[in-house]
Amino acid sequence: MYVSRFGALSLVALLAACGSKQSPAPAASEPKASAAAKTAVDAARLTAADSEPGTWMTYGRTYDEQRFSPLKQINAQNVGQLQLAWHYDLAAAHRVQESTPIVVDGVMYVTSAWSKVFALDAATGKQLWVFDPEVPGAAGIKGCCDVPNRGVAVWNGKVYVGAFDGRLIAIDASSGKQAWSVSTVDDADNYSITGAPRIVRGKVIIGNAGGEYKARGYVTAYDAESGKKVWRFYTVPGEPGKKDGAASDDVLESKARSTWTGEFWKLGGGGTTWDGMAYDPKLDLLYFGTDNGEPWNHAVRSPGGGDNLFTASIIAVRPDTGEYVWHFQNTPGESWDYSAVQQMILADLTIDGKLRQVIMQAPKNGFFYVLDRATGEFISAQPITAVNWATGLDPQTGRPIENPRSRYGETGKPWSAMPGPAGAHAWQAMSYDPLTHLVYLPVIDGGFVFVGEKNFKAKTLGWNTGVDFNAGSLPEDPKVIAQIQTTLKGHLSAWDPVAQKQVWSVPYDTSWNGGVVSTAGNLIFQGTSMGEFAAFQADDGKRLWSAQTHTGILAPPITYEANGEQYVVVEVGWGGAFGLAAGQLARDAQANQGNIPRVLAFKLNGTDTMPAPPPPSDLKLAPPPDEASAKVVAAGKSHYHTFCSTCHGDSAVSGGVLPDLRYSAAMSAPNTWQSIVHDGVRSANGMVSFGSQMSKEEIETIRTYVIHRATQTKSQAN
Ligand code: CA
């Protein structure tokens, strides 16, 4: 399993931190009086969500986050008749769309980039209302990986969304008007919210993102009616001697602090909870995952070593109080952006003849874990793709047996890591089918070269990773990039969590694909970066149906019933970490598809027509003369990969989300270039001023580098 075929190649993958609020004019957001949006969701309904098979009431459909639907009107026999029933064009930026729609009482609540919420009639797609939290464009810079939102929670007539700028907002489900709003972040520069809230017995649980900035992770519970804070759990220790007055105070001192060294708190420490949570009502345990350590480079973060609890961990707490119950850290001393904030699925599995209450996770580090969810005890784990940072795991404890060469920070040598920072499995949701007993998940097969940043100095804008992205950037020879492309793959995996092995797989030529849903119709649905939305037979992986949507798909599909008919719905929209940062690799991964944010609903014999793809771009490469010295261009390349590449793409190639600078008119106008990059005249669009980070001379070198790249591209095309 520990294949090394990618080993020698420099694979860039993932990442980004950026703005751009460009979007079409917002749709009318006046609430319609006819909106039947009751959302009378309460604890009893949420706990028994499986008894309402037609709904999708919480992020993972049920508290156990299995993303399995008991519906089977659409099944392996008739899925060939699946046709578009309706589509809804989101009045949203052409950025990544990652939302899991909630469907309850006939209404769909779906979100878009920049945390907008749309209420639609689930049967027809007719708009009921739109809520725009009006996140300032300048907030885009504090998010690592585009400006996504993964969805809302619903409870007792209200809809809850975490806005990108750190607000938790309650919206009246009938009118679409704000009921209350609280800021959940005390440091606006280093946090964002991209994940969906969960609700347990009247408390809204929300985390945050910021593990590439100076964030210290925490999860907070708010009273759903009033917005009053109930408890907070910090995932890593703070400054020594200072108590937080939080639920985590005691356990951080007794278990976590001794696992850190140096002045780690000055850069936050990381461990943010930006996605995965689950809840077991019988055990009354709330589970959440935590992100990488911050900065990534462990030698910078915790220079005397240490496991750095509770980064890269699953933590179980009591939902009423935030009281710690157990934790499991899958990557001690994390150094590769191997977060464990990925989705967690609860299920009861028969293992070695015994029924076990398990929690399952495929975190970024490449292993698929099965733990006892009552105690956190390690049961088993196996790699789901090529993994080279660990040669295996201790069978008793699950602690990785590390490859010492993987510690690039300590060795001072580059490390070709598998997986890369995008992980073997990122946020794109997986699904557990209790009928086939298989977990279906989108796997990334690839890697990344880590080079420790020499003389690391924390920046006040953008990423602080302790990793040198210039040294790890892609080669400029298209032939070499084409060769790298042949090694960067993905696959849909059907994984047996008891035997810990793959049962079947669907290989993809691209790595950054969509989440998965499974149904009692013996079906799996998944979209791809190439815009294909497909159905597979759940037991053997046979491809049964597909539609071309003309936009890259990352979001997980869902299914529900309205007026007696089953619908399968997916949101389309390309971007995210890989889409923004991976340059030519990302561009090729979606083959110049369009990027139109849209909700697509399919049913048997639907009668809507798929919108035509947008016309291809007619932008022409017209760089001014490439006259700067090689030394100046090299300086520009370095500054570009320090401040620009995570949004505008590796080596000045856009992955199809933000403007491709090689086509920028400002490239020919040095004063305009300075007004944008130095002065921040497009700050409202997300392109904030970098005047605090770079001199005008340094900013000018970036212009010469972009001219150089545009000239290279033009000559390579001829
Ligand atoms: Ca991260």
Side-chain angles (χ1 to χ4, degrees):
M1 197 71 194
Y2 303 106
V3 185
S4 60
R5 66 192 166 103
F6 313 127
L9 288 170
S10 155
L11 293 194
V12 168
L14 35 121
L15 350 148
C18 345
S20 178
K21 281 210 79 174
Q22 295 152 1
S23 70
S29 52
E30 280 305 302
K32 301 274 196 311
S34 64
K38 301 192 301 277
T39 68
V41 172
D42 57 19
R45 273 186 93 183
L46 265 177
T47 304
D50 236 7
S51 65
E52 296 186 57
T55 66
W56 194 286
M57 217 182 298
T58 182
Y59 187 65
R61 200 183 86 82
T62 43
Y63 269 143
D64 53 23
E65 306 263 333
Q66 291 186 355
R67 287 178 181 265
F68 168 81
S69 169
L71 297 179
K72 53 186 176 186
Q73 187 181 83
I74 301 168
N75 55 55
Q77 283 69 48
N78 63 17
V79 69
Q81 299 161 39
L82 204 60
Q83 299 279 351
L84 194 65
W86 55 260
H87 69 278
Y88 175 80
D89 285 358
L90 294 156
H94 294 200
R95 302 286 296 265
V96 75
Q97 312 301 337
E98 302 186 355
S99 185
T100 294
I102 299 295
V103 178
V104 61
D105 300 331
V107 180
M108 173 183 298
Y109 304 96
V110 62
T111 64
S112 74
W114 294 110
S115 335
K116 289 186 184 181
V117 185
F118 300 79
L120 310 176
D121 182 313
T124 63
K126 193 176 127 228
Q127 179 185 307
L128 303 175
W129 50 257
V130 180
F131 178 82
D132 183 355
E134 296 178 344
V135 174
I141 186 70
K142 61 185 191 160
C144 72
C145 309
D146 213 337
V147 288
N149 184 279
R150 292 189 202 88
V152 300
V154 293
W155 176 266
N156 192 25
K158 293 191 186 68
V159 179
Y160 300 85
V161 66
F164 192 79
D165 55 9
R167 285 172 291 160
L168 176 66
I169 300 171
I171 304 163
D172 183 287
S174 298
S175 69
K177 302 280 191 209
Q178 180 173 303
W180 55 256
S181 168
V182 292
S183 173
T184 71
V185 294
D186 34 38
D187 162 14
D189 290 337
N190 292 297
Y191 290 94
S192 55
I193 298 180
T194 60
R198 310 294 200 281
I199 300 190
V200 178
R201 282 199 298 274
K203 292 178 190 68
V204 190
I205 319 288
I206 189 77
N208 46 54
E212 281 66 45
Y213 297 78
K214 291 182 196 166
R216 176 186 178 205
Y218 58 83
V219 171
T220 318
Y222 293 89
D223 181 87
E225 293 308 319
S226 66
K228 188 168 171 280
K229 184 168 104 180
V230 181
W231 56 258
R232 177 166 289 178
F233 188 100
Y234 286 92
T235 63
V236 299
E239 188 174 344
K242 283 195 177 172
K243 284 223 169 190
D244 299 309
S248 45
D249 278 2
D250 290 347
V251 72
L252 288 178
E253 295 308 320
S254 64
K255 289 190 190 293
R257 185 171 296 284
S258 62
T259 67
W260 292 78
T261 54
E263 297 185 317
F264 60 91
W265 63 91
K266 291 188 170 170
L267 291 172
T272 56
T273 294
W274 50 262
D275 190 34
M277 287 190 246
Y279 173 59
D280 184 326
K282 289 208 183 79
L283 294 171
D284 196 33
L285 288 176
L286 170 71
Y287 307 94
F288 50 87
T290 64
D291 201 10
N292 54 278
E294 163 60 20
W296 291 0
N297 186 337
H298 182 243
V300 170
R301 181 174 78 240
S302 190
D307 286 356
N308 296 175
L309 291 170
F310 298 106
T311 61
S313 301
I314 296 174
I315 302 172
V317 303
R318 295 291 172 203
D320 283 342
T321 59
E323 179 199 349
Y324 166 93
V325 178
W326 62 255
H327 78 277
F328 176 83
Q329 185 179 47
N330 61 45
T331 312
E334 191 286 317
S335 202
W336 311 272
D337 194 16
Y338 288 165
S339 59
V341 70
Q342 279 59 42
Q343 177 195 356
M344 291 160 286
I345 293 179
L346 315 183
D348 294 347
L349 305 179
T350 302
I351 298 174
D352 294 335
K354 277 199 301 198
L355 193 66
R356 301 289 300 259
Q357 298 174 300
V358 309
I359 183 168
M360 301 184 275
Q361 189 190 43
K364 280 188 183 176
N365 79 9
F367 290 85
F368 187 99
Y369 290 83
V370 178
L371 311 176
D372 184 311
R373 73 174 177 271
T375 62
E377 179 202 345
F378 174 77
I379 296 176
S380 63
Q382 285 295 327
I384 57 172
T385 183
V387 169
N388 68 356
W389 70 278
T391 57
L393 303 177
D394 181 300
Q396 297 306 316
T397 64
R399 190 178 178 92
I401 302 156
E402 275 186 26
N403 178 342
R405 289 188 298 132
S406 67
R407 294 217 165 260
Y408 59 93
E410 283 81 355
T411 66
K413 293 183 182 148
W415 166 245
S416 291
M418 291 178 292
H425 173 230
W427 59 269
Q428 289 93 328
M430 60 186 194
S431 171
Y432 172 69
D433 181 338
L435 303 176
T436 62
H437 308 290
L438 298 175
V439 174
Y440 304 95
L441 74 163
V443 179
I444 298 169
D445 307 297
F448 176 84
V449 178
F450 285 92
V451 182
E453 195 174 337
K454 300 250 177 351
N455 308 316
F456 169 79
K457 204 163 151 273
K459 300 192 284 280
T460 54
L461 194 61
W463 289 27
N464 285 298
T465 58
V467 172
D468 185 340
F469 288 104
N470 188 40
S473 65
L474 285 169
E476 289 171 2
D477 182 342
K479 288 198 200 77
V480 182
I481 293 187
Q483 194 188 352
I484 292 171
Q485 285 288 15
T486 66
T487 70
L488 182 59
K489 305 286 185 191
H491 67 278
L492 168 61
S493 179
W495 188 265
D496 179 339
V498 175
Q500 286 282 15
K501 64 171 205 248
Q502 187 167 283
V503 174
W504 56 257
S505 76
V506 176
Y508 294 123
D509 283 338
T510 61
S511 65
W512 191 238
N513 296 306
V516 178
V517 66
S518 60
T519 78
N522 193 20
L523 290 173
I524 310 298
F525 291 90
Q526 187 196 18
T528 69
S529 67
M530 303 293 264
E532 186 190 42
F533 186 51
F536 303 91
Q537 196 154 284
D539 50 12
D540 65 4
K542 188 177 166 200
R543 181 186 299 258
L544 298 175
W545 169 88
S546 75
Q548 178 51 250
T549 69
H550 310 301
T551 288
I553 304 173
L554 299 167
I558 66 150
T559 184
Y560 60 92
E561 194 176 80
N563 297 341
E565 289 189 290
Q566 186 185 353
Y567 292 77
V568 179
V569 165
V570 70
E571 190 182 50
V572 302
W574 171 251
F578 181 84
L580 264 66
Q584 190 66 45
L585 300 177
R587 192 174 196 82
D588 292 346
Q590 50 112 40
N592 294 317
Q593 295 282 0
N595 194 9
I596 309 297
R598 194 171 265 156
V599 179
L600 298 169
F602 298 85
K603 68 175 182 180
L604 295 176
N605 306 309
T607 55
D608 193 11
T609 306
M610 186 71 72
S617 161
D618 57 358
L619 288 174
K620 299 271 187 298
L621 281 166
D626 179 16
E627 293 169 332
S629 72
K631 193 175 160 204
V632 169
V633 170
K637 176 174 184 275
S638 176
H639 294 312
Y640 179 88
H641 287 97
T642 302
F643 289 105
C644 317
S645 65
T646 51
C647 288
H648 287 283
D650 185 277
S651 304
V653 178
S654 166
V657 186
L658 288 178
D660 192 311
L661 298 183
R662 296 170 301 168
Y663 298 86
S664 160
M667 188 171 44
S668 304
N671 290 337
T672 306
W673 185 270
Q674 290 290 347
S675 72
I676 297 168
V677 185
H678 186 275
D679 304 339
V681 295
R682 294 191 188 162
S683 182
N685 284 344
M687 178 58 206
V688 298
S689 162
F690 283 82
S692 64
Q693 310 297 309
M694 288 181 282
S695 68
K696 287 193 167 178
E697 290 70 28
E698 288 168 332
I699 288 169
E700 172 62 10
T701 66
I702 297 175
R703 192 179 70 90
T704 68
Y705 169 65
V706 174
I707 292 169
H708 177 69
R709 289 290 295 135
T711 306
Q712 255 183 342
T713 310
K714 202 173 169 188
S715 71
Q716 285 159 356
N718 289 334

